[in-house]
Amino acid sequence: MVKESVKHLNPYVPEQTLADLKSQYGLKKLVRLSANENAFGTSPEVAKALDKWHFSDANLYPDSNAEVLRKSIANRFGIDEDHLLFGNGLDEVIELLCRVILAPGDEVIDPALTFSEYQLHSQIEGAVIKRVALDNAGVLNLTAIKDQITARTKMIWLCNPNNPTGTFLAPTTIQSFLETVPESVTVIVDEAYIDFVGDKRASVIQLTKQFNNLVVLRTFSKAYGLANFRVGYAVCNPPLMSYLQATRLPYNLSTFAEIAATAAFKDTEFVNRVVETVVQERDKWHHFLMKQNLPFYESAANFIFFKAGDADRLHDYLLRNGYLVRNGLKTGWLRISIGKPEDNLAVQKLMADYFND
Ligand SMILES: *Cc1c(COP(=O)(O)O)cnc(C)c1O
């Protein structure tokens, strides 16, 4: 009835709605710190731009090329407009890359731990997944990854900063790695959290001018606070780009999504302010975890992954006190998104009470 490869999947578990959780646990207030959403909302310019949209356009298909958004992104990065591909969230771009590149039996190198969707969509295409452990600091182990490359390797996934560890690889390190990878292997660098590094030189987008087998991924869901609008994109060269374009769904980005992303992209002041606050709050989190003697990975993103002992118990305790964090990624560990300063403080106080009682 179905193809073999989908019979044993470990599907992505989406977030329960806040309304459901609140009624389930009898909570008045619940703050979600489990999905790495932007705690500071999105740019106010987004609502203004959407207000100008004419409802009389509702019956018309959107611009398949998302020209307006395409032009502003290409301009900012100084890249060719034709080297951009948009998706209904980065999720869709990840799925599309697997669909276009992988055939059954091909090998994919996927770090462990990393974002689970790389493995899921590779599995759906019948690929063989080689998982390569992170090093002791929670950093992608490029030497070990290189050792796993064979004649059948088609794809390597590098999430930078890595979800869920938050660890970051410098662009020069990625460049040296790319120089050793055969051109038949596509290296995908997922930069979903790159803005939170707080350094404009952190991205490897410019390296796409040098490496034909490099794909860089970005999303509007995190630093730009547009998770609900579903806009992600890839930067890469032809011929891969042409195959991706030919395979994607023609109207995968609504006009609404394009307007929202264009307005959010322009408001650099909003993003800079968010990043500045996240960087400060992240420092406070690092200090707090050190003081509590809880092991954690040094994060360059808007979340922190830490060892909580009995993670189920702490997760439950925080939930009953109105804070949802991410459990189940690694036994004994929790991932917490960096929230508003007052919420970070409240969670830290709850945790201090919990651990020092
Ligand atoms: C959140 C996330 C995505 C997906 O982003 P969407 O654009 O919302 O689909 C992709 N990659 C990583 C590493 C993420 O954490």
Side-chain angles (χ1 to χ4, degrees):
M1 185 180 74
V2 297
K3 61 182 180 178
E4 201 54 38
S5 68
V6 300
K7 285 185 181 164
H8 311 285
L9 296 176
N10 207 352
Y12 187 86
V13 184
E15 294 288 333
Q16 253 181 292
T17 66
L18 288 176
D20 272 1
L21 278 168
K22 275 200 251 184
S23 82
Q24 190 179 332
Y25 286 86
L27 300 167
K28 280 209 183 66
K29 182 192 163 185
L30 179 60
V31 178
R32 181 153 69 202
L33 298 175
S34 57
N36 303 337
E37 290 152 318
N38 192 326
F40 307 92
T42 189
S43 161
E45 297 302 318
V46 171
K48 284 190 216 159
L50 288 172
D51 270 345
K52 291 190 197 133
W53 185 70
H54 298 291
F55 196 79
S56 55
D57 286 348
N59 60 323
L60 304 176
Y61 281 109
D63 173 8
S64 170
N65 291 321
E67 279 300 335
V68 179
L69 180 60
R70 179 179 299 277
K71 279 201 165 61
S72 35
I73 294 177
N75 264 333
R76 166 105 41 98
F77 294 131
I79 54 177
D80 194 315
E81 278 178 36
D82 297 333
H83 292 187
L84 280 167
L85 173 128
F86 294 98
N88 181 30
L90 197 45
D91 287 352
E92 193 190 39
V93 182
I94 291 168
E95 179 193 48
L96 179 64
L97 281 160
C98 293
R99 187 168 158 92
V100 166
I101 295 174
L102 299 174
D106 286 345
E107 289 178 6
V108 173
I109 303 180
D110 186 41
L113 293 168
T114 194
F115 191 51
S116 61
E117 289 191 22
Y118 314 145
Q119 181 174 16
L120 177 66
H121 293 292
S122 304
Q123 267 169 351
I124 293 171
E125 301 307 328
V128 176
I129 293 135
K130 288 193 171 175
R131 304 217 66 185
V132 175
L134 303 175
D135 73 12
N136 288 336
V139 181
L140 302 173
N141 189 339
L142 296 182
T143 313
I145 287 173
K146 202 164 58 195
D147 288 345
Q148 290 297 318
I149 297 176
T150 71
R152 311 190 72 156
T153 306
K154 287 286 160 59
M155 229 180 202
I156 298 174
W157 289 96
L158 303 178
C159 184
N160 195 44
N162 186 45
N163 181 1
T165 55
T167 48
F168 173 66
L169 287 176
T172 48
T173 308
I174 295 178
Q175 179 169 1
S176 310
F177 173 74
L178 285 166
E179 278 158 5
T180 69
V181 175
E183 212 181 312
S184 57
V185 179
T186 303
V187 177
I188 301 157
V189 180
D190 181 344
E191 297 192 332
Y193 299 98
I194 200 76
D195 298 279
F196 297 112
V197 176
D199 181 344
K200 300 280 184 230
R201 297 157 304 175
S203 171
V204 293
I205 281 186
Q206 298 306 325
L207 291 182
T208 56
K209 293 174 181 166
Q210 198 178 325
F211 297 97
N212 268 331
N213 57 335
L214 171 63
V215 181
V216 182
L217 305 183
R218 290 285 188 95
T219 176
F220 280 90
S221 296
K222 309 288 161 55
Y224 290 88
L226 285 181
N228 208 330
F229 281 82
R230 317 303 305 127
V231 186
Y233 58 98
V235 184
C236 71
N237 295 309
L240 176 58
M241 179 51 86
S242 329
Y243 294 122
L244 292 170
Q245 288 292 7
T247 310
R248 79 167 166 95
L249 298 174
Y251 300 115
N252 56 347
L253 210 69
S254 74
T255 304
F256 237 54
E258 185 187 2
I259 291 172
T262 306
F265 192 70
K266 265 198 201 134
D267 192 354
T268 50
E269 210 179 296
F270 172 84
V271 177
N272 290 342
R273 220 168 32 238
V274 165
V275 169
E276 207 178 297
T277 310
V278 166
V279 170
Q280 281 168 9
E281 291 298 304
R282 190 168 67 205
D283 276 352
K284 291 187 205 161
W285 263 111
H286 285 154
H287 281 118
F288 171 79
L289 293 167
M290 247 183 290
K291 212 170 99 193
Q292 292 295 325
N293 263 321
L294 294 171
F296 65 93
Y297 295 118
E298 183 99 21
S299 174
N302 68 335
F303 54 83
I304 298 184
F305 198 48
F306 66 95
K307 196 172 180 182
D310 187 344
D312 295 342
R313 188 163 159 258
L314 179 57
H315 174 270
D316 206 54
Y317 162 82
L318 291 174
L319 180 54
R320 286 176 197 287
N321 283 285
Y323 290 96
L324 179 64
V325 300
R326 184 72 159 90
N327 191 13
L329 296 167
K330 179 180 175 176
T331 310
W333 290 67
L334 294 175
R335 189 191 67 197
I336 186 163
S337 311
I338 293 167
K340 292 195 179 92
E342 61 267 30
D343 287 322
N344 300 327
L345 207 61
V347 176
Q348 287 163 14
K349 193 167 176 314
L350 284 166
M351 282 175 61
D353 289 347
Y354 173 93
F355 283 110
N356 304 333
D357 250 5

